[in-house]
Amino acid sequence: MSASTDYPSFLTPKVANENQSHDAAIVVFVLGGPGSGKGTQCQKIVEHFGFTHLGAGDLLQAEIDSGSENGAMIENFKKEGKIVPSEITVRLLQQAMQQSENKKFIIDGFPRNEENRAAFENIVGIEPEFVLFFECPEEVLTKRILNRNQGRVDDNVHTIPKRLKVYFEQTLPVIDHYSSKGKVQKVDAHRSVDEVFEGVKSIFCRLTK
């Protein structure tokens, strides 16, 4: 795989280690609307099944917080209201996978759209073992977001419907793609945390042996 010259060196994979890092890797994408409980359930999956939890947003923010030139580039995309190119996000995920001694990964909130999905499969060269999709009615998601009080400026009654609309418009094509391959495992997230995790456990016990 040749590296693009349009991106900084930290985004270029170490080819010698690439196959070694990915041959036995198990990747599970975790998707669901904001407020569906992905973060809480990912913590439980890590504790019970030994997966490493990767969040695309967390990796981008960590690069920004590092104060590096590369982080400044990512921050500029955000300041200008531009979406960070899929290749940059995927390279960060790939780098995190290569640097981990674990071979089992849950990737939270990714891919958000078809471009993300295609970039991940093309660059990393693997498909997910399955996609864990937390289904929850829009009115429940809205109530949870309003009640969680995380201090986000977009956690308000005016912006939440727009966020949910954009999320589902972009993400449902990803769900449809993997559904056509029999790779989507849906979980009813309109329940208590423990009840949801019972459903999650049965899926992981069955599909990640």
Side-chain angles (χ1 to χ4, degrees):
M1 181 182 352
S2 61
S4 169
T5 57
D6 295 330
Y7 297 101
S9 59
F10 90 110
L11 296 173
T12 305
K14 298 176 181 178
V15 177
N17 296 330
E18 188 170 346
N19 291 335
Q20 180 181 357
S21 296
H22 296 150
D23 275 351
I26 295 176
V27 172
V28 175
F29 291 147
V30 181
L31 296 173
S36 60
K38 297 189 304 297
T40 299
Q41 296 300 323
C42 282
Q43 290 176 4
K44 290 181 171 291
I45 293 167
V46 169
E47 293 168 5
H48 286 78
F49 296 101
F51 277 69
T52 292
H53 178 204
L54 299 178
D58 293 338
L59 291 171
L60 289 168
Q61 189 59 50
E63 194 63 33
I64 292 171
D65 292 343
S66 73
S68 70
E69 182 179 345
N70 306 309
M73 176 191 65
I74 293 168
E75 188 172 29
N76 284 336
F77 276 114
K78 292 191 171 187
K79 283 182 177 178
E80 294 170 7
K82 297 178 180 177
I83 297 173
V84 177
S86 293
E87 181 170 351
I88 291 179
T89 304
V90 170
R91 296 289 192 197
L92 285 171
L93 287 166
Q94 183 183 45
Q95 177 178 277
M97 291 171 66
Q98 290 174 338
Q99 292 175 346
S100 175
E101 295 182 359
N102 201 351
K103 298 294 184 183
K104 302 190 299 182
F105 303 93
I106 46 174
I107 301 183
D108 178 7
F110 183 93
R112 289 183 179 273
N113 53 43
E114 278 287 275
E115 183 187 0
N116 283 174
R117 178 194 64 76
F120 186 89
E121 292 185 7
N122 290 335
I123 293 170
V124 181
I126 59 176
E127 290 191 10
E129 193 80 3
F130 60 91
V131 177
L132 188 64
F133 180 45
F134 290 100
E135 286 191 304
C136 196
E138 186 170 333
E139 60 271 19
V140 175
L141 294 176
T142 300
K143 184 176 179 180
R144 287 180 178 176
I145 295 169
L146 289 172
N147 288 340
R148 68 188 181 183
N149 192 25
Q150 291 184 342
R152 287 182 50 155
V153 294
D154 52 355
D155 278 358
N156 64 71
V157 71
H158 301 294
T159 58
I160 289 170
K162 296 177 183 177
R163 287 172 58 197
L164 292 174
K165 182 175 184 290
V166 169
Y167 180 85
F168 286 112
E169 283 180 351
Q170 292 183 348
T171 304
L172 285 180
V174 177
I175 299 298
D176 290 342
H177 172 83
Y178 286 120
S179 289
S180 71
K181 297 190 169 193
K183 286 181 173 282
V184 174
Q185 297 295 318
K186 297 182 179 181
V187 177
D188 178 8
H190 184 205
R191 296 177 293 172
S192 71
V193 170
D194 290 340
E195 287 173 327
V196 172
F197 190 59
E198 285 303 310
V200 170
K201 278 199 297 187
S202 66
I203 291 170
F204 272 78
C205 289
R206 178 164 45 91
L207 296 178
T208 61
K209 291 179 180 178

